[in-house]
Amino acid sequence: MNAIDSVQAAFADEQRKGLTVALQGRLVILIVIAIWIGATRFPPTVYMILGLIALFALLGMAQLWLVKRRGVEAWPIYLLVLAETSILVTAMILSAPATRDMPIPISYGFDHFPYFFLLIASAAFSYSPRLVLWSGLSVALTWGIGGFIVRASHDGLVT
């Protein structure tokens, strides 16, 4: 193995380790959030939120499995990132009436967007510019589609 191959192998190993740490950390946080939600929310809202958390956790575990077997650049990881951002937007739209005393179009524009930065930051642990850019594009795409759906289904402003 020459020096270039050795550096590339070391870099690929660090990509796997970085994304693995981010995904494992996210799973721990999701467990804590699920316990908190389970203790503080009531049916039927709690079932929807816990279901979305479970789905988000399953997607994270699928990413972990793929990273360990195929590396950070495996194309299914990109689909899973898009699915995660879609779930996050869906959760924000569906939970808006349950969490605020305001219409969904107004609620959609408030304080939700920082959650997406966590997804982009976890992609940064992969040391893969392509995955980070894809994460940002997925956020922009799903947030925009969600805003379009909210605007089309409600009279009012969406920011």
Side-chain angles (χ1 to χ4, degrees), residues 26-27 30 34 47-63 80-91 94 119:
R26 189 172 74 190
L27 286 173
L30 286 173
Y47 303 132
M48 179 199 66
I49 295 171
L50 290 177
L52 288 170
I53 289 172
L55 186 56
F56 206 76
L58 287 172
L59 290 173
M61 289 187 288
Q63 283 184 43
L80 291 171
V81 167
L82 182 61
E84 288 174 342
T85 58
S86 299
I87 290 168
L88 200 51
V89 167
T90 301
L94 293 178
L119 291 177

Side-chain angles (χ1 to χ4, degrees), residues 10-131:
F11 193 71
D13 187 48
E14 287 303 315
Q15 285 181 316
R16 279 189 177 101
K17 287 178 185 176
L19 193 53
T20 298
V21 166
L23 291 169
Q24 288 172 340
R26 189 172 74 190
L27 286 173
V28 169
I29 290 168
L30 286 173
I31 291 168
V32 171
I33 291 171
I35 292 169
W36 176 68
I37 292 290
T40 61
R41 301 293 191 276
F42 301 101
T45 305
V46 70
Y47 303 132
M48 179 199 66
I49 295 171
L50 290 177
L52 288 170
I53 289 172
L55 186 56
F56 206 76
L58 287 172
L59 290 173
M61 289 187 288
Q63 283 184 43
L64 270 172
W65 183 83
L66 280 167
V67 166
K68 289 181 181 183
R69 278 148 190 83
R70 297 184 53 197
V72 171
E73 298 297 330
W75 68 267
I77 289 176
Y78 293 84
L79 293 177
L80 291 171
V81 167
L82 182 61
E84 288 174 342
T85 58
S86 299
I87 290 168
L88 200 51
V89 167
T90 301
M92 289 173 187
I93 292 170
L94 293 178
S95 69
T99 58
R100 292 198 166 67
D101 292 328
M102 61 181 73
I104 293 173
I106 293 172
S107 177
Y108 188 74
F110 286 101
D111 69 5
H112 294 304
F113 204 74
Y115 295 111
F116 289 108
F117 290 117
L118 296 173
L119 291 177
I120 297 170
S122 85
F125 275 87
S126 71
Y127 304 111
S128 170
R130 198 177 322 163
L131 186 58

